[in-house]
Amino acid sequence: MRNRPLFIHAARILLCSIWIAALLFPGLLAAGSGSAHAAGKTIVMGTSPDYPPYENVDAKNSGEIVGLDIDIAKAIAQKLGYTLEIKSMDFNGLIAALQTKRVDFVMSGMSATEERKQSVDFSDVYYLARNTIISAKSDGYTTLEQLEGKRIGVQLGSTQEAAVKDVQDATLVKLNKITDLIQELKSGRIDAAIVEDAVAADVAQSNPDFAVNYLPPGSDGYAIAFPKGSDLTDKFNRELEDMKQSGELDKLTDKWFAASSDKKKSSDKFLDFGILKGYVPYMLKGIYVTLLFTIVSALFGFVWGFILTLFKLSRIWPLRWFATAYTSVFRGTPLLLQLFLIYFATPQLTGYDISTLMAAGLAFGLNSAAYLSETIRGGIMSVDKGQREAAMALGIPSSLTMVRIILPQAVKSILPALVNECVALIKESSLVSVIGVQDILRRASVIQATEYRAFEALLFAGAIYYVLVLIMTSLAKMLERRLRRGD
């Protein structure tokens, strides 16, 4: 019972920390955007912007997502009187985003397959694409039969995956992005990649060493995906039909396919950092997102970890049991799984459209607290027991003893471990790119998708992370030296 005031004091610190974070970083607590029902006349589109010319990030200029799908979506939203908001995420998370009502519709070069129709509704087809085989010119594969026994790359969850599943003795390599497939093809890890024709044309324009051969047309075409029973489906179909009849859809298609054909070929050099020209400001903006996310996660994790430590040291067994079970669960499950659960399950269970940054901050803060609770507990236990007994003999309240006497000594002894946790948060922050947070690594992926070259952007991202970690460790050493002066 004597520890109760300390719990209340710690809870107050936690609430104050959250409010400080909200004041300093308003974007963190801002809801992502909300569905059409939550945000009135705003509709939210989900897309994976790594599929030019359908959608990609204009990193050299505005940093906005552009492409054929974006222009079609903007035209329809304007005709229907909606404000369009675009959410970026991985392709294999788009269907989940629809089902959890994180987005109102999806346009991302998505084919209306029978399998997907079991989960979502589709509009009428707005573009009929053909599959193509991309391979080295020296191989020049032209049919699926020639790929028997070969290593074939496809995008995870795409219709190309189903198109090649019956190729005999073939090894299927499934990757998240087209750019990853091209990189695998360049490095010789796969023999051929199967992609859609417009994307293949864009790849061939940048990579003259590749051969592109068309497969016979199938019955599937690209369509707009909606949640089951959405009232937007019929509205979008009417506008799509009007755009087809007026020729507006053909004009948009010609505009983006012509832009794709004008793209310059990529450099032949092994390393050419010249391709980063114009992208550096875009990459550096990712530092703010990474630091914001790291600071808030570390602050939240430390305060919540301290409360868990008090639970573990408490004489009240339910609190001890809760803290022990919490630590076991969060240390025993993958961090990426926790991130997905918080981001996708929160709107489905509560109706609250949690923002990407807030979901990431919560997931990393809760996970970090599980580890820090053990670190802080070790620091508190390392303080000489006689000091606590002396404070009790002098009649000093237990909460004051903890805050003024025990905790400062504990923090001093665990400072290196706290710095290691912050360094780990900075490096692990790259995981948040899977839910569309525009951190450093996500921005490097955007450049990779645009230039079809991986090394330069990834090396630049690695250099930024390394400098951030060096700065943090240097500041920690300065703080440690300052604290040691009082010893």
Side-chain angles (χ1 to χ4, degrees), residues 47-223:
T47 189
S48 176
D50 52 17
Y51 205 56
Y54 295 95
E55 47 266 321
N56 66 294
V57 177
D58 185 13
K60 281 189 176 178
N61 299 303
S62 62
E64 295 180 352
I65 301 174
V66 297
L68 173 62
D69 285 350
I70 309 303
D71 279 0
I72 294 175
K74 284 181 177 177
I76 293 177
Q78 185 179 18
K79 294 173 193 292
L80 293 176
Y82 289 114
T83 299
L84 180 67
E85 185 168 332
I86 301 172
K87 276 190 175 179
S88 163
M89 59 190 71
D90 271 7
F91 185 81
N92 54 6
L94 291 173
I95 296 294
L98 276 177
Q99 292 174 326
T100 56
K101 301 190 184 304
R102 297 206 61 86
V103 298
D104 296 300
F105 69 99
V106 161
M107 286 187 78
S108 195
M110 182 174 284
S111 298
T113 64
E114 292 301 322
E115 184 181 6
R116 288 176 179 150
K117 287 177 182 176
Q118 302 297 317
S119 304
V120 297
D121 288 340
F122 279 102
S123 70
D124 297 334
V125 171
Y126 62 85
Y127 182 76
L128 196 57
R130 295 175 62 183
N131 289 336
T132 58
I133 302 175
I134 300 180
S135 60
K137 275 190 174 174
S138 56
D139 295 325
Y141 300 118
T142 57
T143 65
L144 289 180
E145 287 73 21
Q146 292 178 326
L147 297 180
E148 291 179 357
K150 306 294 183 185
R151 298 163 297 175
I152 308 172
V154 295
Q155 189 176 20
L156 180 65
S158 66
T159 56
Q160 289 78 33
E161 182 181 339
V164 298
K165 66 178 180 181
D166 294 328
V167 177
Q168 291 186 353
D169 301 323
T171 301
L172 209 56
V173 179
K174 304 173 186 177
L175 298 175
N176 282 334
K177 301 171 185 175
I178 297 294
T179 48
D180 295 339
L181 292 175
I182 301 307
Q183 199 61 42
E184 291 293 89
L185 188 59
K186 282 183 175 179
S187 60
R189 294 197 183 98
I190 59 176
D191 299 302
I194 310 297
V195 301
E196 182 265 322
D197 55 356
V199 178
D202 189 71
V203 172
Q205 190 70 23
S206 302
N207 301 275
D209 293 337
F210 288 161
V212 175
N213 290 290
Y214 294 88
L215 293 171
S219 57
D220 295 327
Y222 289 163

Side-chain angles (χ1 to χ4, degrees), residues 222-292:
Y222 289 163
I224 308 169
F226 300 91
K228 280 287 186 184
S230 172
D231 57 0
L232 290 174
T233 310
D234 291 336
K235 295 178 182 177
F236 272 57
N237 277 338
R238 285 195 293 271
E239 298 303 331
L240 269 179
E241 185 59 31
D242 287 345
M243 291 176 71
K244 289 177 183 175
Q245 296 299 327
S246 66
E248 184 178 0
L249 192 57
D250 289 336
K251 288 181 181 176
L252 291 178
T253 304
D254 293 342
K255 167 190 167 185
W256 284 102
F257 283 30
S260 174
S261 64
D262 291 340
K263 191 173 182 178
K264 67 176 184 180
K265 73 171 188 176
S266 63
S267 172
D268 295 330
K269 299 178 182 176
F270 175 71
L271 275 178
D272 183 7
F273 287 97
I275 68 160
L276 296 178
K277 186 179 180 182
Y279 290 118
V280 174
Y282 174 74
M283 283 285 290
L284 294 180
K285 287 179 183 176
I287 295 176
Y288 167 75
V289 178
T290 297
L291 288 181
L292 161 67

Side-chain angles (χ1 to χ4, degrees), residues 273-480:
F273 287 97
I275 68 160
L276 296 178
K277 186 179 180 182
Y279 290 118
V280 174
Y282 174 74
M283 283 285 290
L284 294 180
K285 287 179 183 176
I287 295 176
Y288 167 75
V289 178
T290 297
L291 288 181
L292 161 67
F293 156 78
T294 301
I295 292 171
V296 172
S297 299
L299 185 63
F300 176 65
F302 180 79
V303 176
W304 179 229
F306 178 60
I307 294 174
L308 288 173
T309 301
L310 296 181
F311 285 0
K312 290 176 179 177
L313 297 175
S314 170
R315 296 176 181 175
I316 305 172
W317 72 265
L319 294 181
R320 291 201 307 272
W321 179 87
F322 169 78
T324 304
Y326 177 95
T327 303
S328 176
V329 169
F330 275 87
R331 291 201 307 188
T333 54
L335 176 56
L336 189 58
L337 172 68
Q338 296 162 19
L339 177 62
F340 278 145
L341 284 176
I342 291 175
Y343 181 63
F344 288 115
T346 299
Q348 190 171 9
L349 296 177
T350 67
Y352 175 67
D353 182 20
I354 189 169
S355 69
T356 51
L357 267 180
M358 187 176 183
L362 267 178
F364 279 71
L366 292 172
N367 182 277
S368 179
Y371 290 91
L372 286 176
S373 66
E374 286 298 302
T375 303
I376 298 171
R377 187 173 73 88
I380 291 175
M381 298 297 288
S382 68
V383 178
D384 186 6
K385 193 177 179 181
Q387 296 191 34
R388 187 180 289 114
E389 292 172 349
M392 290 176 62
L394 293 172
I396 301 175
S398 58
S399 58
L400 196 59
T401 301
M402 177 62 74
V403 173
R404 297 289 180 85
I405 300 174
I406 306 297
L407 197 56
Q409 297 179 72
V411 169
K412 190 186 297 184
S413 64
I414 64 174
L415 186 59
L418 293 178
V419 174
N420 282 339
E421 182 64 22
C422 288
V423 169
L425 279 174
I426 287 180
K427 293 187 290 185
E428 290 172 354
S429 67
S430 57
L431 289 176
V432 301
S433 63
V434 299
I435 58 172
V437 176
Q438 294 286 319
D439 72 325
I440 297 169
L441 190 62
R442 180 76 178 184
R443 290 167 187 265
S445 299
V446 167
I447 297 172
Q448 182 184 352
T450 306
E451 299 292 336
Y452 293 104
R453 291 180 67 94
F455 293 135
E456 292 83 354
L458 291 177
L459 287 174
F460 186 45
I464 294 175
Y465 280 116
Y466 184 65
V467 170
L468 289 178
V469 170
L470 277 183
I471 293 173
M472 173 160 288
T473 51
S474 299
L475 291 175
K477 285 180 181 177
M478 291 173 59
L479 179 60
E480 192 172 1

